[in-house]
Amino acid sequence: MTDNQPIVLDPAGTDIHGEIARIRELGPAGRVELPGGVVVWMVTDYAILRRLMTDPQVSKEPQDWTTLREGRIPADWVMTPWIGLRNMLRSSGEDHARLRKAVGPAFSTRRVQALQPRIEAMVSDLLDALADTPDGDIADLRADFARPLPIKVITELMGVPSEIGTPLCEHADGTLDTSAPPEQVQKDFMALLELVGQLIAYKREHLGDDLTSTLITGPDEATGPLLSDQELLDTLTLIISAGHETTVNLIDQTILALLTHPQARAAALAGEVEWEEVIEESLRWQSPIANMPFRFARVDLDLGGGVRIPKGEAILASFAGANRDRKAFGRSAGEFDPSSDRGTGSRGHLAFGYGMHHCLGAPLARLEARIALPALLSRFPKLRLASAADELRPMQNFVMNGHQALPVRLSA
C-alpha cells in the first residue's frame, strides 16, 4: 500500500464524495496528497475511524508527525493553521483534559439551553429581514441566514465587541480555505490572531458574563486562570473558527436537503418526523466537516486487510466518508432519509467527532439548527431553490462541506 501513488485531493473540494469513493476502493484508508505535496493517510471506514479516535496510540499532537519534525513541511503551507496552535484540538491526554475542562462549562446543557430565547430572537430578526426581499428576487440563504446566525451566537457567547465580530469571523473563514494562495491564508491567520489578541485585551478591561472573561479569570477566584496567555489566545482562536463555520454548513446543507427532498420536508413540517432526526440525518449525510485534520500514529497501526499506517504519519479523518459507510449505515447510506432505520442509526454518525475529542459545541450547533430550520420553512412555505442543486458551487475547501451561496426564491 505504501508504494502506491497517493490520490491528489482537489484543494477546492469540488467533488468531496466522488474523491472519497475513489479512496474507499483502496481499502479502509488510502494515501492522499494535500496542497504543497504533503502526503497523509485518509481513513474512510466508519468502524476503524471510531477505533482510531479513541486509541491512545493515535495522537493529536503535531510533534508526533515525522514529516513536520524533520522540517519537510513547506514554511508557507496552506494548512499551517491546523497545526500551528496549542489548544484542545491539538493536544492529547492530561493536557487535552485540562484545556477542555477550562472551556467545558460554557457549553454545559444549562448554559446552552439558557441561550434559546436569544437564538429565537436572532432567528426572528433574520427572517424579518428576509421577508423584505422584493417578490421575485433571489435571496442567498447562506449569506443572509445560515451564516449570520452562528456568528451572532458565538460572538455574543464570547463577549466580542460588535466592531470586531465580522472581521474576526471573516479572517477565521480565510484560514480554512485550502484552495487559497498560501500567502493569503497566512495573512488571514495573522490578522485573526491579532484580532483575538485585541479581544483579550478588551475583555481584561471589560470583564463580563461571557466565555472570554471566564477563561481570563478562571472559574473562581480561588482557582484562578486555567490557561497560560498563549493557551488563551490559541483556545479562543479555535472557538471562533470552529464555533460558527460548522453550524453554518449544518444549516446550509439541511436547507438544501429538505428543498431537494419534498417528502422529508413535508413530514418534518407535519410532525411525522422529528426535527432532531432531520438534523442528525443531515449531519450524517453531509457532514459539515468533511475531512478533519489531523491525527498522528505513535506506533505502526494495523488497520486490517493489508493496510498499515506507519509510525509518525499523519491521518486525515474523513467524517464524510465514514458517515456514508454502507457497513455501518446500510445500502442506502448515500441517500438522505430521516425516516429510515439504519443499522447504527443516524445518531451514531461521526460528524462531531468521537471520544475525548467529541465537539464541545455540538449541543449548541444542534440547538441553533433546531430553532432555525422549522422557523424558516414555516415562515416561507413556498421556499424553493433558484437554481438546480447540481449547479450550486461548493466551498473552495476539502475540509469544510458547504456552499458558496444558497440562492432561493422565498415565494411563488
Side-chain angles (χ1 to χ4, degrees):
M1 178 67 69
T2 56
D3 293 332
N4 293 342
Q5 287 295 315
I7 291 177
V8 179
L9 288 190
D10 177 5
T14 54
D15 185 19
I16 286 174
H17 289 288
E19 286 186 329
I20 288 171
R22 291 172 56 205
I23 295 160
R24 200 189 298 280
E25 292 176 359
L26 303 176
R31 293 168 71 240
V32 296
E33 182 180 316
L34 307 183
V38 176
V39 176
V40 303
W41 289 82
M42 184 170 172
V43 179
T44 60
D45 183 281
Y46 175 88
I48 289 176
L49 186 54
R50 260 182 49 133
R51 174 166 61 84
L52 293 180
M53 287 194 287
T54 57
D55 189 336
Q57 299 302 330
V58 178
S59 162
K60 292 281 284 184
E61 301 182 38
Q63 63 263 31
D64 289 322
W65 189 8
T66 301
T67 303
L68 177 65
R69 200 168 55 246
E70 294 180 351
R72 292 185 280 122
I73 296 294
D76 63 347
W77 194 34
V78 72
M79 301 195 73
T80 295
W82 290 100
I83 59 173
L85 299 175
R86 184 66 176 175
N87 51 44
M88 57 186 170
L89 189 65
R90 299 273 71 86
S91 58
S92 301
E94 293 181 3
D95 218 17
H96 168 262
R98 177 179 59 83
L99 294 169
R100 188 179 177 96
K101 181 180 179 181
V103 179
F107 295 97
S108 67
T109 301
R110 180 184 64 83
R111 288 294 296 269
V112 169
Q113 290 301 321
L115 290 170
Q116 181 166 339
R118 281 294 299 133
I119 297 172
E120 290 173 345
M122 293 174 188
V123 167
S124 180
D125 289 344
L126 290 170
L127 293 178
D128 287 345
L130 281 171
D132 289 336
T133 305
D135 286 346
D137 280 12
I138 293 174
D140 179 358
L141 284 187
R142 184 175 176 94
D144 298 332
F145 188 70
R147 190 168 188 273
L149 175 62
I151 288 177
K152 289 174 182 291
V153 172
I154 197 64
T155 53
E156 187 166 305
L157 179 69
M158 294 174 65
V160 178
S162 58
E163 62 269 21
I164 69 170
T166 297
L168 195 66
C169 292
E170 287 176 348
H171 288 302
D173 291 346
T175 65
L176 302 176
D177 189 347
T178 54
S179 67
E183 59 272 17
Q184 181 59 51
V185 173
Q186 290 296 321
K187 183 178 179 180
D188 279 313
F189 188 39
M190 298 310 297
L192 174 61
L193 293 177
E194 181 178 346
L195 285 169
V196 175
Q198 291 179 22
L199 168 63
I200 293 171
Y202 174 83
K203 296 308 296 184
R204 288 192 191 278
E205 299 296 325
H206 304 83
L207 292 174
D209 183 20
D210 56 71
L211 173 57
T212 306
S213 297
T214 300
L215 291 179
I216 289 172
T217 63
D220 54 62
E221 191 172 310
T223 303
L226 299 179
L227 305 179
S228 68
D229 288 349
Q230 187 63 52
E231 288 170 341
L232 174 63
L233 178 71
D234 291 357
T235 295
L236 290 172
T237 302
L238 167 65
I239 292 170
I240 193 65
S241 299
H244 76 282
E245 189 64 46
T246 302
T247 311
V248 174
N249 291 340
L250 167 58
I251 297 173
D252 168 344
Q253 292 285 13
T254 309
I255 292 171
L256 178 61
L258 292 172
L259 293 185
T260 53
H261 295 79
Q263 288 184 326
R265 172 182 176 174
L269 287 171
E272 297 167 5
V273 174
E274 297 293 332
W275 280 101
E276 287 79 3
E277 297 305 322
V278 172
I279 292 165
E280 298 308 315
E281 175 69 345
S282 176
L283 285 164
R284 183 201 66 80
W285 187 59
Q286 289 288 7
S287 304
I289 298 178
N291 302 303
M292 184 67 174
F294 290 108
R295 285 171 166 81
F296 311 97
R298 284 178 166 162
V299 298
D300 290 350
L301 300 171
D302 185 358
L303 306 188
V307 180
R308 182 177 62 88
I309 298 179
K311 175 182 177 180
E313 300 213 0
I315 300 167
L316 189 65
S318 180
F319 293 164
N323 287 339
R324 291 196 182 190
D325 186 344
R326 291 186 176 185
K327 298 190 298 297
F329 296 103
R331 294 174 61 86
S332 64
E335 301 173 10
F336 175 77
D337 184 0
S339 64
S340 67
D341 180 19
R342 305 187 186 279
T344 53
S346 291
R347 290 183 182 272
H349 64 72
L350 303 179
F352 288 120
Y354 183 71
M356 289 183 64
H357 285 275
H358 184 270
C359 177
L360 272 175
L364 180 57
R366 287 182 167 108
L367 178 63
E368 290 178 52
R370 174 63 185 84
I371 294 171
L373 294 165
L376 172 72
L377 293 173
S378 297
R379 181 73 173 268
F380 302 108
K382 297 181 180 180
L383 181 69
R384 59 193 173 91
L385 285 175
S387 66
D390 59 8
E391 294 177 355
L392 298 178
R393 295 177 298 165
M395 298 174 66
Q396 299 292 295
N397 199 315
F398 66 80
V399 174
M400 294 294 175
N401 183 21
H403 302 94
Q404 294 183 42
L406 189 58
V408 299
R409 297 189 187 279
L410 301 173
S411 65

